[in-house]
């Protein structure tokens, strides 16, 4: 049973397209996150939701829109994809300790 | 400013050698410190948190508030320890946000 699952695992798309990444957790955690890992492997928080409410929005372009239909899901929609959006995106959830998903490797060509 | 610094981008050691991955932090208050590990193309996994003071896979880390450091140590490195290691902090009232260091890639050679 995967605790935090993301789909798809890989995503290759052209510039200008719109794409979504889905995330689901079955841990019963109230808080979920999206982190971006860039080409230099640096990890930075993008968003955090607590029980479907946005609590952290870390100066991310508004082409990125998170959506939390319920506390077990936090999806990430990206409009008008740019080359610089190429990265690995990690979903996570936490109570006291984080559990990360396996990541979505997004390549914009 | 809240910051985590890992000065070494890459650390290469031979199997059986001691390992120390450095981590310094800047935070006005009492943060919680963590080490996460990411094996090749896998998810991040929690390795250690300072409040639990435990040893996982032979790794230990001691929080030194005076030097604002949380270095990760292992007396005898194994090849399976090769991975990316991230030091991170979380502060109270930050919504659970983790601030990561730049990561140190540990390579253990046979």
């Amino acid at each position: 049973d995967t605790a935090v699952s993301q789909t798809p695992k890989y995503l290759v798309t052209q510039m200008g397209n719109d794409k979504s990444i889905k995330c689901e957790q079955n841990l019963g955690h109230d808080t979920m996150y999206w982190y971006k890992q860039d080409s230099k492997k640096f990890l930075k928080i993008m968003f955090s939701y607590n029980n479907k409410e946005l609590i952290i929005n870390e100066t991310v372009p508004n082409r990125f829109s998170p959506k939390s239909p319920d506390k077990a899901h936090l999806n990430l929609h990206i409009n008008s994809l740019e080359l610089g959006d190429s990265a690995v995106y990690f979903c996570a959830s936490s109570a006291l300790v984080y559990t990360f998903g396996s990541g979505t490797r997004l390549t914009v060509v | 400013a809240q910051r985590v610094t890992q000065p070494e981008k890459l650390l290469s050691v031979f199997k059986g050698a001691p390992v120390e991955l450095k981590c310094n932090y800047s935070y006005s208050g009492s943060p919680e410190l963590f080490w996460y590990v990411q094996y090749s193309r896998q998810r991040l996994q929690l390795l250690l948190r300072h409040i639990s003071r435990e040893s996982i896979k032979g790794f230990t880390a001691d929080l030194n508030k005076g030097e604002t450091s949380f270095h990760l140590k292992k007396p005898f490195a194994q090849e399976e320890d090769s991975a990316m290691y991230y030091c991170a902090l979380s502060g109270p009232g930050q919504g659970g946000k983790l601030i990561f260091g730049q990561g140190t890639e540990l390579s253990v050679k046979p």
Side-chain angles (χ1 to χ4, degrees):
Chain A
D1 247 7
T2 304
V4 179
S5 59
Q6 298 178 226
T7 53
K9 204 171 167 73
Y10 299 94
L11 187 51
V12 181
T13 188
Q14 290 188 325
M15 280 175 56
N17 282 351
D18 303 339
K19 289 293 178 188
S20 292
I21 307 172
K22 296 188 174 181
C23 179
E24 176 181 4
Q25 55 101 357
N26 62 6
L27 298 165
H29 292 163
D30 283 339
T31 311
M32 296 185 72
Y33 310 83
W34 279 107
Y35 280 79
K36 180 179 179 180
Q37 186 179 44
D38 63 23
S39 58
K40 295 183 181 176
K41 302 280 183 99
F42 184 58
L43 275 155
K44 190 161 192 268
I45 192 166
M46 300 173 70
F47 300 103
S48 168
Y49 269 70
N50 184 276
N51 208 0
K52 303 193 295 175
E53 299 292 326
L54 178 68
I55 56 171
I56 296 175
N57 181 341
E58 199 77 2
T59 59
V60 177
N62 56 17
R63 297 182 296 103
F64 289 79
S65 51
K67 294 269 190 309
S68 183
D70 55 61
K71 76 172 197 177
H73 295 84
L74 180 61
N75 304 322
L76 184 65
H77 189 75
I78 317 169
N79 288 328
S80 305
L81 277 154
E82 300 177 358
L83 292 176
D85 298 332
S86 295
V88 182
Y89 292 85
F90 285 99
C91 178
S93 71
S94 76
L96 294 177
V97 176
Y98 270 60
T99 302
F100 282 88
S102 56
T104 296
R105 185 172 292 273
L106 171 65
T107 305
V108 183
V109 296
Chain B
Q2 302 165 12
R3 189 183 300 127
V4 176
T5 304
Q6 293 176 247
E8 303 131 334
K9 195 168 172 149
L10 173 65
L11 186 60
S12 186
V13 301
F14 286 102
K15 178 181 168 183
V19 169
E20 182 179 48
L21 288 81
K22 291 185 166 45
C23 172
N24 288 89
Y25 66 92
S26 171
Y27 188 86
S28 53
S30 296
E32 187 167 1
L33 273 295
F34 305 86
W35 277 98
Y36 282 85
V37 60
Q38 185 180 27
Y39 299 101
S40 180
R41 298 221 171 189
Q42 292 187 26
R43 69 185 72 211
L44 280 96
Q45 304 170 39
L46 177 66
L47 186 61
L48 287 173
R49 51 195 299 222
H50 87 268
I51 61 170
S52 57
R53 298 187 63 82
E54 54 192 342
S55 172
I56 305 288
K57 300 185 180 184
F59 285 97
T60 58
D62 287 318
L63 180 61
N64 185 321
K65 291 184 180 180
E67 295 182 1
T68 59
S69 68
F70 188 55
H71 303 326
L72 183 69
K73 299 178 185 178
K74 184 169 182 176
F76 307 104
Q78 302 299 315
E79 288 180 68
E80 56 265 28
D81 295 329
S82 296
M84 194 77 174
Y85 291 80
Y86 290 96
C87 183
L89 71 77
S90 175
Q94 297 279 310
K97 174 171 93 170
L98 282 174
I99 297 171
F100 284 92
Q102 303 92 315
T104 297
E105 184 177 352
L106 174 65
S107 174
V108 182
K109 300 186 187 311

